Amino acid sequence: MVKTIDENTSDPITETEKTAVNHDDAAGVPEVIGILPLKNTVMFPYTVVPLSIGEKSSIALVDEAVSGTKIIGCVAMKDPTGDRRPENLYEFGTAVSILKMMKLPDGTMALLVQGAVKIKIEQFISFDPFVRARIRTFQEVETLTKRGEALFRNVLAQCQKIIALTPYLPDELQATLINIDSPIRLIYLVSSVLKLSIPEKQQILEITLVEDKLEKVSQMLTREIEILELGGKIKSQVESEMTKTQREYFLREQLKAIQQELGEGDERQTEIKEIREKLEAKKLPEEARKEANRELDRLGKLPPAAAEYHVIRTYLDWIIDLPWNEFTEDHLDLNRAQEVLDEDHYDLKEVKERIVEYLAVRSRKPDMKGPILCFVGPPGTGKTSLGKSVARALGRKFVRMSLGGVHDEAEIRGHRRTYIGALPGRIIQSIRRAGSANPVFMMDEIDKVGADFRGDPSSALLEVLDPEQNNSFRDHYLDLPFDLSQVMFITTANVLQTIHPALQDRMEILTLAGYTEEEKLWIAKKYLIPRQLTENGLKEGDLEFDDKAVRKIINSYTREAGVRNLERNIGKVCRKVALELSTGKKQKERVVQESLSQYLGPEKIFPEVAMRTSKPGVATGLAWTETGGEVLFIEALAMPGGKNLTLTGHLGDVMQESAKAALSYVRAKAKDLGVPEDFFSKEDLHIHVPAGAIPKDGPSAGITMAVAIASLLTGRPVNKDVAMTGEITLSGMVLPIGGVKEKILAAKRAGIKTVLLPKRNEKDLAEVDNEAKSGLQFTMVETIDDVLKAALTDAPSEASTQSARQQTG
């Protein structure tokens, strides 16, 4: 028994132990060393082992040892869950040398130690800050008798056999064992590698004679070999007699019988029964019902651990969750529908009429197919919000799916069930989310669908948006026909050019042009200002907008076809007023035209038409863009040279061809215009369209370019209140163009008074509401001569013409 320092006696050493004491080794190990208690580990001499310590006392011990002899004693604990009292420590341990030490960020330490010599604790010296004890060192005598030599060779042979049977032991260990000629080193190496219990390892360490150690290790190796051989035999028998599935089947059948004896139901059968009841309650089409029952029968034959079990279960869940033949009832009150549409959106007469027409026909023909509409217009004109309003007017569920950036066909049709983690496409997912088979289904940004090696989503949408085909839409995952004919599909787009032509053909196009100043004013007063007051925590009496102030925001702080930036600026004013009210600077505020700069800063939009057309060679055109109509300035300049035409401003091929056609026409009509017929042989012409960073294309600027060249060469400025649009031909004809309403709105925003339009666009002008046309004079032109007559100012005198040419050139 080990005595503590409080007991002034110590155990006598036996005669055998006296002969084992190595006085030479003892000189290298201090007589008093720190003791490191080990949990679940026994340290042997000559072995290199990594240790991880986290106790404060152990860290203090290592810190002191590293700064000194680097020698500590490692002793195993009898009970790893107990404390570190002397009675919980074994008497024998190993003195180790610290090879490496690393402090980790979490406060623990990682050590690499090498066993030096076996030790025995003679007396505990102290316990704070760590255990310190007086020890004796022992040197095991390695002289072997013939019996010991036989044991040594037997242990080597057993080790080689174990290496062959044990998968977790590396093959390199066999080469290491062959090269070991020291019995004691072999004993400690084998003991550290084998999965032995702590008491067994401690017993090997404490045995004094080497032959006794060899005999003990041989016994343990024999037992380990028997266990490994028996395990291999069992494994071979199992693999030859039954597969894993068969084994699970037999076990589950036994479990099933046990549960029946105990009166417990089979959970799996209960689950299958619930699924069957749900399927019977659904109004499934015949084909879907047959497929569901077939898959349910397969499910009942599979064990829950099978991989396909969960695939079939998920598939059946999708069939159960989908709204087969479940419809919401339409609100067919036409007056109420009109009131809802008017309440949510201002103007948009054509769209509202189309929705009311659909309801009128629906009331007469209940089984009619749902329309497929496409709202096309600039950003901020209310396309997406209009879809929600349509759903509210019809009393239907509303689901929205954004198609922007979608480039995988599987996003529309889903993945086949053969793929891991397969799911239905977004069409079927949205229908399930809606919970009805006739929702209002909005597909946003259909003009921004992509395509790559994974397929073309636009082609997949052809079936979805075709009223003749979508009554049996097949998703790849479900592989069942689902009726989409009662769904009201609404798509939105900014442009039509990027939409697949076959897809365009399947949709009814409804154009949402930009708003006039008066329309924006009404929208701001009725919708935008109340909404921003609510979103910014203001009450109706806290903030009031003067009509002139709203008009100034429209004209001087925004230039857009829609009202998105208008609402953004109104929100900015509301936030600043909320700050003033919260800090007590003001009790309420009325925003007037003069005070806008305090909230929104200096004006951002200025009228440029008068400044741009003050000189000959500058004409004002009208263009259509994705964001609505825009005013386009075209500048022409002459310079000494000959027969060169330079075009700048990031112009597309069609626009460049229009410029060449305009120049050819002016050259052909030079005599009628009073311009020297050989002007192009002495001068170079440069045509520039400002805002060079923005790509421009299209034929509608043809007459504007012709007017700019004619103005330059004749010295007659273009009337500053005139803007024009139209395609030019070499014969001088003016051809029709598109985007008439957007261009008219752009002219009105820019302060234009007269708009020149092709004669063949007169029918389009009739479709533009009177409010958009108010304040504008329209001149319908058929030839370039009509355009020049209406656009150029009165002819100057010959001297002023020459002066203007010289100034411009």
Side-chain angles (χ1 to χ4, degrees):
M1 178 179 177
V2 179
K3 307 296 183 182
T4 65
I5 195 169
D6 296 326
E7 299 173 282
N8 297 318
T9 58
S10 61
D11 274 353
I13 302 177
T14 64
E15 289 298 318
T16 306
E17 288 175 331
K18 285 181 179 179
T19 60
V21 174
N22 185 339
H23 297 287
D24 294 333
D25 283 351
V29 178
E31 185 179 1
V32 176
I33 60 174
I35 302 299
L36 177 64
L38 299 179
K39 297 180 178 180
N40 301 316
T41 303
V42 174
M43 190 71 201
F44 294 103
Y46 312 114
T47 58
V48 177
V49 178
L51 298 176
S52 178
I53 60 175
E55 294 284 342
K56 292 183 179 179
S57 59
S58 300
I59 293 173
L61 165 62
V62 173
D63 285 337
E64 182 177 292
V66 168
S67 61
T69 62
K70 296 187 179 180
I71 301 292
I72 61 174
C74 289
V75 179
M77 297 173 63
K78 297 176 183 177
D79 181 10
T81 60
D83 55 20
R84 303 187 173 201
R85 292 178 298 177
E87 53 267 27
N88 195 30
L89 298 177
Y90 285 102
E91 290 180 270
F92 287 86
T94 301
V96 301
S97 174
I98 300 174
L99 301 179
K100 289 184 180 179
M101 183 273 287
M102 181 184 298
K103 292 186 177 181
L104 302 178
D106 60 355
T108 62
M109 259 184 199
L111 302 179
L112 187 65
V113 299
Q114 181 176 16
V117 66
K118 185 172 85 171
I119 63 171
K120 179 181 179 182
I121 298 175
E122 292 293 318
Q123 195 174 32
F124 288 100
I125 304 300
S126 64
F127 300 95
D128 189 31
F130 51 82
V131 178
R132 198 188 303 268
R134 179 175 290 111
I135 55 97
R136 290 277 183 101
T137 59
F138 295 87
Q139 173 70 33
E140 282 92 342
V141 178
E142 294 194 351
T143 304
L144 296 176
T145 63
K146 289 183 179 180
R147 180 176 178 274
E149 185 68 29
L151 283 170
F152 174 65
R153 294 181 184 182
N154 185 53
V155 169
L156 275 176
Q158 288 176 314
C159 288
Q160 292 174 355
K161 191 170 185 179
I162 282 185
I163 291 172
L165 293 172
T166 309
Y168 66 82
L169 293 179
D171 294 335
E172 294 82 4
L173 185 59
Q174 187 168 357
T176 304
L177 291 171
I178 294 174
N179 294 322
I180 292 179
D181 55 2
S182 168
I184 198 68
R185 289 178 181 268
L186 174 65
I187 292 167
Y188 288 149
L189 175 61
V190 172
S191 300
S192 63
V193 171
L194 282 180
K195 291 184 177 179
L196 303 177
S197 66
I198 296 300
E200 288 175 333
K201 290 185 177 183
Q202 185 67 29
Q203 185 181 2
I204 293 172
L205 178 66
E206 292 181 2
I207 294 174
T208 303
L209 298 178
V210 177
E211 287 188 8
D212 294 343
K213 287 180 185 284
L214 285 170
E215 186 173 2
K216 183 66 177 176
V217 171
S218 180
Q219 292 172 0
M220 293 179 178
L221 289 174
T222 302
R223 184 193 66 186
E224 190 72 13
I225 290 171
E226 290 176 353
I227 294 172
L228 291 172
E229 287 178 342
L230 181 59
K233 184 179 180 181
I234 294 172
K235 182 179 179 183
S236 300
Q237 288 176 346
V238 170
E239 289 177 346
S240 63
E241 290 176 3
M242 64 172 64
T243 63
K244 181 182 178 182
T245 305
Q246 289 173 323
R247 177 175 176 274
E248 289 180 351
Y249 174 76
F250 289 132
L251 291 175
R252 292 190 181 282
E253 287 298 316
Q254 292 173 359
L255 179 61
K256 185 177 178 181
I258 293 171
Q259 287 176 334
Q260 288 177 350
E261 289 295 326
L262 295 174
E264 298 177 359
D266 187 345
E267 293 182 5
R268 186 160 65 91
Q269 293 302 322
T270 304
E271 181 183 18
I272 291 174
K273 183 180 178 183
E274 290 177 357
I275 296 174
R276 195 178 299 278
E277 289 174 354
K278 289 179 181 178
L279 288 173
E280 290 174 355
K282 296 288 289 187
K283 299 176 183 178
L284 294 177
E286 188 60 29
E287 184 177 349
R289 184 172 298 282
K290 286 181 179 179
E291 181 66 18
N293 288 332
R294 189 176 72 85
E295 292 294 329
L296 185 59
D297 292 340
R298 288 182 61 208
L299 186 71
K301 298 173 183 177
L302 291 174
E308 199 173 357
Y309 182 92
H310 299 285
V311 174
I312 297 175
R313 176 60 202 269
T314 304
Y315 177 74
L316 291 172
D317 285 342
W318 273 99
I319 292 179
I320 292 170
D321 291 343
L322 281 174
W324 305 86
N325 297 317
E326 297 174 21
F327 305 97
T328 55
E329 187 177 351
D330 287 344
H331 295 165
L332 300 178
D333 187 340
L334 304 185
N335 293 327
R336 178 190 173 279
Q338 187 69 52
E339 289 175 4
V340 170
L341 294 171
D342 290 339
E343 181 182 332
D344 292 345
H345 289 81
Y346 180 77
D347 194 35
L348 305 180
K349 182 180 178 182
E350 183 183 2
V351 179
K352 294 176 180 178
E353 282 182 355
R354 181 64 183 86
I355 302 303
V356 175
E357 287 169 2
Y358 166 74
L359 286 177
V361 177
R362 177 84 178 178
S363 63
R364 293 176 172 272
K365 191 175 186 299
D367 60 343
M368 74 170 293
K369 296 176 180 178
I372 298 172
L373 309 178
C374 181
F375 297 161
V376 180
T381 51
K383 299 183 294 297
T384 303
S385 60
L386 186 58
K388 297 179 183 178
S389 180
V390 169
R392 195 163 76 90
L394 296 175
R396 292 189 180 188
K397 301 288 184 66
F398 175 79
V399 287
R400 174 185 168 274
M401 180 177 78
S402 177
L403 294 174
V406 173
H407 48 256
D408 189 352
E409 181 199 1
E411 296 228 24
I412 307 298
R413 289 186 174 274
H415 292 86
R416 301 189 187 279
R417 279 186 288 159
T418 51
Y419 296 103
I420 296 174
L423 283 174
R426 293 170 66 180
I427 301 291
I428 294 297
Q429 290 185 34
S430 299
I431 293 293
R432 185 183 77 161
R433 199 163 52 247
S436 72
N438 64 336
V440 173
F441 197 130
M442 171 158 279
M443 296 182 179
D444 236 347
E445 313 293 354
I446 197 171
D447 56 329
K448 298 173 181 63
V449 175
D452 60 12
F453 64 93
R454 286 167 286 193
D456 184 1
S458 295
S459 300
L461 287 171
L462 293 177
E463 180 184 1
V464 178
L465 300 180
D466 189 343
E468 301 301 322
Q469 300 181 45
N470 64 9
N471 61 341
S472 58
F473 171 70
R474 279 186 180 268
D475 184 272
H476 285 159
Y477 179 83
L478 288 179
D479 198 24
L480 293 171
F482 191 90
D483 187 2
L484 299 176
S485 62
Q486 299 302 313
V487 178
M488 184 177 196
F489 286 103
I490 298 177
T491 64
T492 70
N494 296 129
V495 294
L496 288 174
Q497 288 82 352
T498 56
I499 302 177
H500 196 291
L503 204 54
Q504 282 192 48
D505 186 57
R506 284 162 166 76
M507 300 185 294
E508 183 178 344
I509 309 296
L510 298 177
T511 303
L512 280 70
Y515 297 109
T516 64
E517 180 182 330
E518 290 298 322
E519 288 172 342
K520 289 182 179 181
L521 176 62
W522 275 101
I523 291 171
K525 292 169 64 176
K526 190 174 181 180
Y527 305 103
L528 305 185
I529 293 176
R531 184 160 66 212
Q532 285 301 317
L533 288 176
T534 302
E535 290 185 2
N536 290 281
L538 296 174
K539 298 178 181 178
E540 189 174 347
D542 293 338
L543 175 61
E544 183 182 348
F545 281 85
D546 183 66
D547 285 1
K548 292 183 178 179
V550 177
R551 290 182 187 274
K552 188 170 183 180
I553 295 176
I554 295 169
N555 295 318
S556 301
Y557 291 92
T558 65
R559 177 176 284 173
E560 58 177 344
V563 292
R564 191 166 287 157
N565 285 323
L566 173 60
E567 183 174 10
R568 193 172 290 125
N569 279 282
I570 290 172
K572 186 176 181 181
V573 174
C574 291
R575 289 193 299 275
K576 291 186 179 297
V577 171
L579 175 62
E580 292 177 343
L581 297 180
S582 300
T583 54
K585 293 181 180 179
K586 295 182 179 179
Q587 298 300 318
K588 61 180 181 177
E589 176 68 355
R590 175 180 170 81
V591 178
V592 296
Q593 185 176 357
E594 292 75 18
S595 64
L596 267 182
S597 58
Q598 302 175 16
Y599 301 105
L600 300 178
E603 297 178 16
K604 297 177 175 60
I605 309 297
F606 299 95
E608 300 176 283
V609 177
M611 178 181 68
R612 287 293 186 96
T613 57
S614 59
K615 294 181 180 180
V618 181
T620 305
L622 298 172
W624 180 92
T625 68
E626 293 183 16
T627 58
E630 292 288 343
V631 172
L632 198 67
F633 298 100
I634 295 179
E635 303 172 343
L637 189 67
M639 63 200 84
K643 298 185 178 181
N644 288 323
L645 174 63
T646 303
L647 301 172
T648 56
H650 206 161
L651 309 184
D653 292 340
V654 176
M655 203 167 184
Q656 292 184 33
E657 292 171 357
S658 296
K660 293 174 184 176
L663 175 60
S664 297
Y665 177 81
V666 173
R667 289 179 63 188
K669 294 288 183 178
K671 185 175 181 182
D672 296 339
L673 294 173
V675 177
E677 296 183 27
D678 60 346
F679 75 91
F680 196 52
S681 62
K682 299 178 182 179
E683 295 175 334
D684 290 341
L685 284 182
H686 185 164
I687 295 177
H688 177 67
V689 183
I694 302 173
K696 311 169 190 70
D697 205 359
S700 63
I703 66 172
T704 314
M705 290 180 172
V707 169
I709 296 171
S711 170
L712 170 71
L713 298 176
T714 60
R716 296 164 62 186
V718 179
N719 192 323
K720 66 179 182 179
D721 294 330
V722 173
M724 63 207 75
T725 180
E727 182 178 352
I728 189 175
T729 68
L730 288 178
S731 60
M733 299 297 295
V734 179
L735 300 183
I737 42 79
V740 172
K741 182 176 181 180
E742 287 84 354
K743 293 177 179 180
I744 289 173
L745 293 176
K748 191 168 185 178
R749 287 196 301 268
I752 300 295
K753 303 299 182 186
T754 302
V755 177
L756 308 185
L757 289 174
K759 178 73 174 176
R760 289 166 63 181
N761 280 116
E762 194 166 7
K763 59 178 178 22
D764 300 311
L765 189 62
E767 296 179 0
V768 181
D769 53 81
N770 294 327
E771 186 177 340
K773 295 186 288 187
S774 64
L776 292 174
Q777 180 181 348
F778 296 94
T779 302
M780 314 310 292
V781 293
E782 292 184 277
T783 65
I784 294 295
D785 294 336
D786 297 337
V787 175
L788 296 175
K789 183 178 179 182
L792 298 180
T793 58
D794 294 337
S797 64
E798 185 176 348
S800 62
T801 302
Q802 184 66 24
S803 173
R805 287 286 306 282
Q806 291 175 352
Q807 181 182 4
T808 308

